[in-house]
Amino acid sequence: MRKVIQFSIYKGDLYYVAEGINIPVVTQGKTLDELINNLKEALQLFLEDEDLSKYDIQTNPAIIANIELNNLIYA
């Protein structure tokens, strides 16, 4: 069983978006701080009554988030 839940974070047109890689959770926020708070709430609601074995996830998993950066400025 996996010990982590993975998310991909990217900037959409208006909002930052977090999409679950190994679970069906998607949320958004105007700022990264708002996105993280929304992600915690969405995960809590999703995992509340869910059978984690259905997603091959252990109890109390860690969260790993990959952030996509666009338009890098080179020095």
Side-chain angles (χ1 to χ4, degrees):
M1 296 187 96
R2 288 179 267 177
K3 296 180 181 180
V4 298
I5 297 174
Q6 297 180 1
F7 283 88
S8 176
I9 296 175
Y10 59 92
K11 178 79 164 102
D13 291 336
L14 299 174
Y15 298 96
Y16 289 95
V17 179
E19 291 185 10
I21 294 173
N22 50 358
I23 62 170
V25 173
V26 177
T27 191
Q28 63 185 16
K30 288 183 181 180
T31 65
L32 284 173
D33 287 337
E34 183 179 325
L35 175 67
I36 297 304
N37 289 332
N38 291 346
L39 181 56
K40 288 178 184 178
E41 182 179 355
L43 267 174
Q44 185 178 27
L45 291 171
F46 176 76
L47 297 176
E48 195 170 77
D49 295 322
E50 195 65 43
D51 178 11
L52 296 181
S53 65
K54 178 179 174 182
Y55 298 99
D56 195 34
I57 298 172
Q58 292 182 356
T59 304
N60 297 320
I63 299 168
I64 294 178
N66 298 311
I67 300 176
E68 181 181 312
L69 301 174
N70 292 328
N71 303 326
L72 295 177
I73 299 173
Y74 297 97

